[in-house]
Amino acid sequence: MARELVNAKGTVPLRLVEMNPPDIGKSWREELCLFFVLWGEAEVIVCESRSLLKADDIIAINPNTVFEARSQECSALMLYIGVSALLDDKDCPMAFDCDSSKADDKARFFALKNLIATFLKENAGGAKNNAYFNGAIAYSLLLELQNSFLDVGKTASALKSAEQVQGVVREINERYREGITLKELAQSQNFSVSYFSIFFKRHFGVGFAEYYNSFRLERAVSELLSSEQPIETIARNHGFGDVRSFVSLFKKRYGMLPSAYRKEKASLTDSWRESEFESGIYGLSKYLTRPQKQTYLSMPESIEEKTLSAGKISILHGTPLKHTFRVFTSVGRAKELLYADVQNMLAGLQKEIGYQYIKFHGILSDDMLLYSESRGVPTYSFVMLDKALDFLMSIGLRPLVQFSFMPRKLATDLNLNVYFSPFNVSMPNDMGKWERLIKTVTEHFVQRYGICEVRQWLFCLWNEPNVNIFTPQGDEIIFELYRITRAAVKSVSKSLLFGMPSLVHVLTEAAWANRYFEMCRNFGCMPDFCNIHYYDNDISQGDIIPTYESLKEQDAWLKKTFKQNNDENAFRNAIPAFKALFEKNGAGSLPIYMTEWNMTISHRNLLNDTCFKACYLAKNILENYDALDS
């Protein structure tokens, strides 16, 4: 049986409903729902994924999602949040992965429960005008969900067909009492019957008939428990042509006749009301603060001064840990994202750790088959790039889109290559074609994934232009390329985040960084974030010039050029020096992402396979934990 405890008036889209028991047939709502079990247990099925929630468990049911709940003896709160009314961008759906029944770390759900309890307590009796307070609660809930539980893959897929699905659901809501058929619904939505049947099953998880019967039955059961209307009248009120079909469907679902079900639930509700809900708004605020239960109306001492929206934090000697190591992971080049073993590795990392971004090189390189020309006219193929990024979206990883390296059809020098599977690192032979390439790729991202999603990506140009391995043609041309590339991205949307090129050996090459920032100030093209690499090599013994032509020559060059740094605190001392350099150049407020770091730049350094390397990593991770934004 459902009781509406709080319905925030005005523009704040919050409703709190108590269900006893939460026995809900297949339903679909445009609102986000937080389902919080007070006592007992309930099985919640969301898009065929089953969760058994027990007392104190909470799950988020995303907007525009089919769900059902089954329980015999349970009390649950259902908080409905009208997410679309809270967002400025109405075409920007969000999806969340929030299910405490399947999580080992229960503490990360505390902030949500605290907000629900506070909302309930402050609205008890409904006498106060709580519009501003309830608005703050609504945005705090949304912020906490976004910081701690955002599911990027589901969000991207939700964007693609939300409008069509919402149109179908609205029509069912409006016409379900008429006995609407699949054919009628398909015609009104301009679908063929066969396609619409497939469309419905794909987006609702069940066939039309099963969903429609469950939809009508849920509403009929609600009236059955909340009124004294005859069974025949209730059946007609909810689109059943005759009472026999209603009774048959009801008995199949609940195992008894509607009259017996009504009588049984009435007696259970009366006894439960007397024992558990003797005061206030059914005593729920009292229940939430019982001594033997965890109190959600006050924060634990260790985090009482921290904000609820701080994301995933832990407490170590009173210091909040942001775990910024979770911000970035990486692979070498874009094409590797298509390899099954790499995909399996990344999917495992996301399941166990959950990174936000991934860095890789070469989305424009020829192995991605993106750019070509026919008689001098550019042609584009996004097949491989789309497959790579679709995979990232499916596991909740956002890309750092590094525009690199040069397609051979655009290259000034076909012989200017690095690495065994070569990247061409020459500059474009036609800046206009390069600019169109960048704008076309960026527009494609927005069209495929939506501006709301792509606004949360990161963009940059090239790799380590401050050393001449990747930019042997000099500073001025890379500065021009930066300005053109940044302008092309920003022309698609000024809200897209474009950062500095990744710089390596920033401190020993500080003059380059100073010249770069001076150029940015002069041309009004400051980056949105700083992007750095760090390797503990002493580069003072040689120039970074790739003059080798064989692996033997390369090894000799590496040994000469990249000796290990003898200062055991070099990494720890470098970080404040990075910050000071950026502060000096007017970039002190920007996020600093370290997207590569290691003891050595060489894959063939024998120290990589020793316990020394493990000690080096552990020491520097612990000493510099959360010191940068990644």
Side-chain angles (χ1 to χ4, degrees), residues 514 517-518 521 526-527 530 579-590:
N514 291 331
F517 281 113
E518 181 182 9
R521 290 191 296 272
M526 286 291 286
C530 298
K579 294 179 178 179
L581 176 65
F582 296 142
E583 180 76 32
K584 168 189 169 184
N585 282 285
S589 62
L590 299 180

Side-chain angles (χ1 to χ4, degrees), residues 204-365:
F204 289 82
V206 294
F208 170 76
E210 183 179 351
Y211 176 84
Y212 183 45
N213 285 334
S214 180
F215 183 93
R216 292 186 296 172
L217 187 61
E218 180 196 345
R219 281 147 184 78
V221 169
S222 180
E223 185 175 356
L224 181 74
L225 298 178
S226 61
S227 77
E228 297 180 358
Q229 290 283 353
I231 305 298
E232 294 83 353
T233 302
I234 292 173
R236 287 194 302 272
N237 287 346
H238 297 281
F240 292 95
D242 62 88
V243 71
R244 286 180 298 176
S245 62
F246 171 65
V247 171
S248 174
L249 189 63
F250 191 99
K251 192 172 180 181
K252 181 179 179 181
R253 170 69 190 276
Y254 295 102
M256 63 181 72
L257 294 172
S259 55
Y261 184 86
R262 173 188 262 172
K263 184 177 180 180
E264 178 184 288
K265 294 303 177 186
S267 62
L268 280 174
T269 300
D270 287 341
S271 62
W272 174 68
R273 183 188 294 116
E274 291 171 3
S275 61
E276 293 287 346
F277 283 74
E278 67 278 353
S279 64
I281 48 173
Y282 309 107
L284 283 175
S285 59
K286 177 181 177 181
Y287 177 86
L288 287 170
T289 56
R290 283 182 174 177
Q292 64 269 33
K293 297 290 184 180
Q294 185 175 10
T295 301
Y296 293 118
L297 292 172
S298 61
M299 298 294 281
E301 285 185 13
S302 57
I303 56 174
E304 62 184 356
E305 295 180 358
K306 310 303 175 187
T307 60
L308 292 174
S309 57
K312 300 174 182 177
I313 64 171
S314 297
I315 303 302
L316 179 63
H317 303 303
T319 302
L321 302 180
K322 294 179 289 184
H323 306 305
T324 57
F325 79 89
R326 290 194 182 111
V327 175
F328 264 100
T329 186
S330 68
V331 295
R333 54 180 72 206
K335 190 175 181 181
E336 293 170 13
L337 296 170
L338 303 176
Y339 298 164
D341 55 342
V342 173
Q343 290 189 353
N344 291 336
M345 175 194 72
L346 289 173
L349 284 174
Q350 283 303 90
K351 183 177 179 181
E352 296 297 327
I353 298 174
Y355 291 98
Q356 296 179 40
Y357 293 101
I358 183 169
K359 186 224 70 173
F360 47 89
H361 305 296
I363 68 166
L364 304 180
S365 297

Side-chain angles (χ1 to χ4, degrees), residues 131-156:
Y132 293 122
F133 179 85
N134 291 335
I137 290 288
Y139 281 109
S140 295
L141 283 164
L142 191 57
L143 186 60
E144 178 61 26
L145 285 164
Q146 184 176 0
N147 283 344
S148 298
F149 303 102
L150 187 65
D151 189 319
V152 180
K154 289 181 182 177
T155 295

Side-chain angles (χ1 to χ4, degrees), residues 188-202:
S188 68
Q189 298 293 319
N190 298 315
F191 288 126
S192 69
V193 175
S194 58
Y195 176 79
F196 183 67
S197 179
I198 297 170
F199 173 89
F200 198 97
K201 180 69 181 291
R202 182 168 72 246

